[in-house]
């Protein structure tokens, strides 16, 4: 695979979508072929799964195991039909959430065994893996307030207890400490412009070829 996958992760309200959009604009200005997508979703099947997971489409309480497997099912569809072929073509991909979200939310948050979830992720993704992962870190209450202000209400995940969100945030930070060569932790409580500046500073360090004349 000659393309590169850049992922955005973090607790709710960290501004992942905004920073992903700004990075996409930068790459396109460099005449790089870039694909954007999100998880769960990104395919017709994945978008239906997204509605089930976020918007209670089935109107049935989800057990925690079903939630984890649905995320992985959406991911498998996306990697097989979209991400894998794009990377093989040499395209760059900017992705809003990926495998780390399952480890954080279903592992650290829900309490499933993280190593088992790693195996499920590997089964779902095959050879698809990120070159860089930006973790947009923000205190839980601040992030949830931002998320509600943005959408006007809370989705199923956002309605989970504060303790759940605290656990998953700590999980993200632990994962970043475990893989510092892949993760870059950004302080998402800053103004958007400052976060973007930090993002591009990291990008220049990790992928200097992007900034060559």
């Amino acid at each position: 695979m000659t393309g590169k996958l850049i992922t955005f992760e973090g607790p709710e309200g960290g501004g992942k979508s905004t920073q992903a959009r700004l990075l996409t604009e930068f790459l396109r200005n460099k005449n790089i072929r870039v694909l954007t997508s999100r998880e769960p979703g990104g395919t017709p099947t994945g978008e239906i799964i997204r509605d089930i997971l976020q918007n209670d489409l089935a109107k049935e309480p989800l057990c925690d195991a079903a939630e984890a497997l649905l995320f992985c099912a959406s991911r498998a569809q996306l990697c097989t039909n979209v991400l894998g072929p794009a990377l093989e073509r040499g395209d760059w991909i900017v992705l809003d959430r990926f495998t780390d979200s399952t480890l954080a939310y279903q592992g650290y948050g829900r309490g499933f065994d993280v190593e088992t979830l790693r195996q499920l992720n590997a089964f779902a993704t095959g050879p698809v893996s990120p070159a860089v992962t930006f973790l947009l870190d923000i205190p839980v209450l601040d992030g949830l307030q931002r998320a509600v202000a943005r959408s006007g209400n809370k989705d199923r995940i956002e309605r989970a207890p504060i303790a759940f969100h605290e656990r998953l945030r700590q999980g993200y930070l632990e994962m970043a400490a475990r893989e510092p060569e892949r993760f870059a932790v950004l302080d998402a409580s800053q103004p958007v412009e400052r976060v973007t500046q930090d993002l591009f500073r990291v990008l220049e360090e990790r992928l200097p070829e992007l900034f060559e004349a």
Side-chain angles (χ1 to χ4, degrees), residues 4-161:
K4 291 191 186 299
L5 170 61
I6 300 175
T7 58
F8 284 83
E9 294 282 358
E12 304 296 324
K16 296 178 300 300
S17 299
T18 298
Q19 298 301 327
R21 174 179 55 79
L22 293 170
L23 175 56
T24 300
E25 292 173 359
F26 169 80
L27 294 173
R28 286 178 175 155
N29 287 335
K30 291 282 186 178
N31 295 317
I32 293 172
R33 289 184 310 184
V34 57
L35 167 74
T36 62
S37 194
R38 65 180 183 176
E39 278 211 348
T43 66
T45 300
E47 291 299 323
I48 292 173
I49 293 173
R50 184 183 184 90
D51 265 347
I52 293 171
L53 287 165
Q54 289 196 333
N55 303 318
D56 298 324
L57 181 66
K59 305 303 180 187
E60 174 189 15
L62 274 179
C63 73
D64 292 345
E67 178 184 78
L69 292 169
L70 282 170
F71 275 110
C72 288
S74 174
R75 182 167 301 131
Q77 196 77 357
L78 182 65
C79 287
T80 299
N81 292 349
V82 179
L83 304 187
L87 291 171
E88 289 176 355
R89 290 194 304 268
D91 294 352
W92 287 50
I93 302 168
V94 176
L95 185 59
D96 187 345
R97 295 200 182 282
F98 195 46
T99 53
D100 300 302
S101 285
T102 294
L103 302 181
Y105 280 73
Q106 282 69 52
Y108 290 92
R110 301 291 191 208
F112 279 102
D113 180 68
V114 172
E115 291 308 314
T116 299
L117 292 175
R118 289 187 197 279
Q119 294 174 23
L120 286 174
N121 275 336
F123 179 66
T125 60
V128 176
S129 61
V132 180
T133 296
F134 288 105
L135 171 54
L136 274 63
D137 181 52
I138 187 170
V140 165
L141 290 177
D142 293 346
L144 288 172
Q145 288 172 358
R146 278 190 188 179
V148 172
R150 177 192 64 217
S151 64
N153 52 43
K154 293 183 178 180
D155 65 23
R156 190 182 64 86
I157 299 293
E158 291 165 350
R159 291 196 298 269

